[in-house]
């Protein structure tokens, strides 16, 4: 799994932590809403788009997960780890 960039704002880091807690307790709807809130703060965060793609995949929304992973790739720059993770999500979404 990719790691969040250091340049991320404290507010977004806090929201990411909250979303991960929600996700780990099977509150995928809450996790998605929290990640969408983080994206309103940092709409060009490849990492947050990636995390939302994972949540959507867990919700069974493979097509949407692939779209979100592609969006993440658009912002990923040189983060090859994140791009590989996104590419796996995209491939899984196409195979479903």
């Amino acid at each position: 799994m990719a790691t969040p960039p250091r340049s991320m704002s404290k507010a977004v880091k806090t929201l990411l932590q909250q979303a991960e807690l929600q996700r780990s307790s099977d509150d995928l709807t809450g996790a998605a809403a929290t990640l969408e809130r983080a994206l309103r703060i940092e709409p060009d965060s490849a990492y947050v788009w990636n995390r939302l793609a994972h949540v959507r995949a867990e919700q069974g929304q493979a097509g949407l997960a692939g779209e979100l992973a592609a969006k993440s790739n658009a912002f990923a720059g040189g983060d090859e780890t994140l791009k590989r993770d996104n590419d796996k999500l995209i491939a899984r979404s196409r195979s479903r």
Side-chain angles (χ1 to χ4, degrees):
M1 182 168 77
T3 56
R6 292 181 182 184
S7 61
M8 189 174 283
S9 73
K10 185 176 179 179
V12 171
K13 286 180 184 176
T14 299
L15 289 169
L16 281 168
Q17 290 171 342
Q18 179 182 344
E20 189 53 39
L21 288 172
Q22 291 168 313
R23 183 177 173 223
S24 65
S25 64
D26 291 325
D27 178 11
L28 298 177
T29 302
T34 300
L35 291 167
E36 288 170 353
R37 185 173 169 205
L39 285 169
R40 285 193 292 277
I41 298 168
E42 289 187 21
D44 60 349
S45 174
Y47 184 79
V48 179
W49 284 109
N50 170 272
R51 301 320 306 153
L52 183 56
H54 276 280
V55 169
R56 294 303 187 196
E58 288 180 42
Q59 289 178 313
Q61 299 177 32
L64 180 56
E67 291 173 21
L68 296 170
K71 180 96 169 187
S72 174
N73 270 346
F75 293 115
D79 190 337
E80 295 304 320
T81 303
L82 189 63
K83 286 180 181 179
R84 276 192 302 277
D85 188 58
N86 286 327
D87 290 343
K88 288 177 188 175
L89 281 167
I90 292 166
R92 273 185 274 170
S93 75
R94 290 182 180 154
S95 69
R96 292 180 189 236

